[in-house]
Amino acid sequence: MWALRVCWVLLGTVGAGSAQLMFQNVTSVKMDSCNQTVLIPCKIINLKLNDTKQMFLKWKVQGNFFFSYDGSEETFFRNSSFQSANVSLPELRYGNASVSLSKLEAVPGNYTCEVAESNREGKIIVELVYNSAEWTLQHSLIIASMIVAAFLYWAQLGAVAIKFDVTFSKKIGLSIPGIIVTGFAVIGSILFASDAYGASILVGLGLIVIPAIILVPLLYFLFTSVFEKQPLFAIILVALKALGYLIALVGFALSDSACLPKQGSVVIAGLVIIDIVAAIGLIYILVIGCNLKDHQPPRKAVEESLNDAKGVMLE
């Protein structure tokens, strides 16, 4: 009698197990701004009939039904907010019930896949999360690099205006382009940071990168205000700053037609070169420029000495 009861329990366990569909263990899937479509996995590993006419599939997000396929009637149903939802029937036949969604319709949250095959059924929950950590870091680095570039320019201009004889009109002439670059950088940073997955990121990035070309000739004009004859090192710095801008511009151009985060490192590299050159230029102005100024007699005194010398020679 006891042995008979054990047999019934074992048979019940086997029967229950055979009525339960088993799924490949996937708990979450990540989406970043590179994705145009999202595939939420749902794979059954113990189908028996391999016949879609014997299957019924239902997908939910946060408990709300949005997609289904009824194999007996060969009909699909899609919620109006998820018109891009789709499954591959040839793959569903062999257990792949994964649903694809467009990036615009795929909302983060818990997705439930429910599948029935004849009298067997099962479900699995998969979480969709946005993988924005790298993207946020690139946001921050690009914006910070441009802010540093603008700050260093104003520091250079301040040093030149205070330490060297610069006319008021030239100060105004050097300030206006700086205001333009700073203004575009602020507006671009706001747009760039406001929408991590929209078209405004390219507009914002363009406003950050493209006007930065103004910083290249400005560095040259600052050097001309400090040195009567441009040292070779100053010319090299201007050339390196131009190179940094070209690198950043290439990164932006590639981002216009490709996945922005993948090209963000190129933009960052170019802006960092601009920052490094600007920092070296500021030090060069403060140290070398001021040192030359301290060891040079005032221009007026030199002119008076030359005039006196000419007078003596004439006498």
Side-chain angles (χ1 to χ4, degrees):
M1 188 69 178
W2 178 82
L4 184 60
R5 288 181 179 178
V6 171
C7 289
W8 275 112
V9 170
L10 291 175
L11 287 173
T13 303
V14 172
S18 63
Q20 183 71 31
L21 293 177
M22 307 298 293
F23 294 82
Q24 190 177 87
N25 187 24
V26 178
T27 58
S28 65
V29 61
K30 294 181 179 180
M31 172 185 174
D32 58 33
S33 59
C34 298
N35 299 118
Q36 296 302 315
T37 59
V38 181
L39 186 67
I40 304 174
C42 177
K43 295 183 179 180
I44 306 101
I45 59 176
N46 64 337
L47 282 182
K48 289 185 176 180
L49 302 178
N50 298 116
D51 184 2
T52 55
K53 293 182 179 180
Q54 301 293 322
M55 299 179 68
F56 184 84
L57 169 65
K58 181 189 293 185
W59 274 97
K60 299 178 181 178
V61 56
Q62 299 296 104
N64 298 315
F65 165 68
F66 72 90
F67 175 84
S68 69
Y69 172 72
D70 187 345
S72 62
E73 298 182 1
E74 298 184 346
T75 57
F76 290 93
F77 173 82
R78 295 176 179 86
N79 184 289
S80 59
S81 300
F82 295 87
Q83 289 299 307
S84 65
N86 195 28
V87 296
S88 171
L89 292 183
E91 294 187 17
L92 177 62
R93 178 181 178 183
Y94 297 101
N96 187 357
S98 304
V99 64
S100 63
L101 295 168
S102 72
K103 178 175 68 174
L104 297 177
E105 294 180 353
V107 295
N110 291 324
Y111 286 75
T112 304
C113 173
E114 299 180 1
V115 183
E117 182 194 40
S118 186
N119 64 338
R120 305 165 70 227
E121 60 183 22
K123 68 178 181 179
I124 187 173
I125 297 176
V126 181
E127 182 183 11
L128 175 63
V129 295
Y130 279 134
N131 185 25
S132 59
E134 179 184 359
W135 181 228
T136 302
L137 176 61
Q138 291 195 8
H139 262 91
S140 303
L141 290 175
I142 290 173
I143 293 173
S145 298
M146 193 59 216
I147 291 174
V148 170
F151 172 79
L152 288 173
Y153 171 72
W154 287 110
Q156 291 171 344
L157 180 58
V160 171
I162 294 172
K163 297 288 186 179
F164 301 91
D165 296 328
V166 181
T167 63
F168 179 76
S169 60
K170 192 167 187 178
K171 291 178 183 178
I172 296 298
L174 291 172
S175 298
I176 292 175
I179 293 173
I180 293 173
V181 172
T182 305
F184 277 122
V186 171
I187 297 172
S189 297
I190 293 173
L191 292 174
F192 190 60
S194 63
D195 187 1
Y197 294 97
S200 65
I201 56 173
L202 289 177
V203 177
L205 186 62
L207 292 177
I208 291 173
V209 173
I210 295 175
I213 183 63
I214 299 174
L215 295 175
V216 177
L218 284 179
L219 181 62
Y220 174 79
F221 292 135
L222 286 173
F223 282 148
T224 58
S225 302
V226 176
F227 306 102
E228 292 185 7
K229 183 179 180 181
Q230 291 296 307
L232 177 61
F233 186 71
I235 296 174
I236 292 174
L237 287 179
V238 174
L240 288 175
K241 196 160 192 174
L243 176 63
Y245 174 77
L246 288 176
I247 293 174
L249 188 63
V250 168
F252 169 69
L254 293 175
S255 300
D256 189 40
S257 58
C259 174
L260 182 59
K262 292 181 180 179
Q263 315 304 332
S265 58
V266 180
V267 178
I268 293 170
L271 293 177
V272 168
I273 291 174
I274 291 175
D275 291 344
I276 293 174
V277 171
I280 296 173
L282 177 60
I283 296 171
Y284 191 68
I285 290 171
L286 291 174
V287 177
I288 305 300
C290 292
N291 187 53
L292 289 175
K293 179 189 175 185
D294 293 338
H295 288 81
Q296 286 179 349
R299 182 174 298 178
K300 186 175 181 181
V302 172
E303 291 176 353
E304 290 178 353
S305 299
L306 290 174
N307 291 333
D308 292 342
K310 289 180 181 178
V312 171
M313 291 177 65
L314 290 173
E315 292 177 358

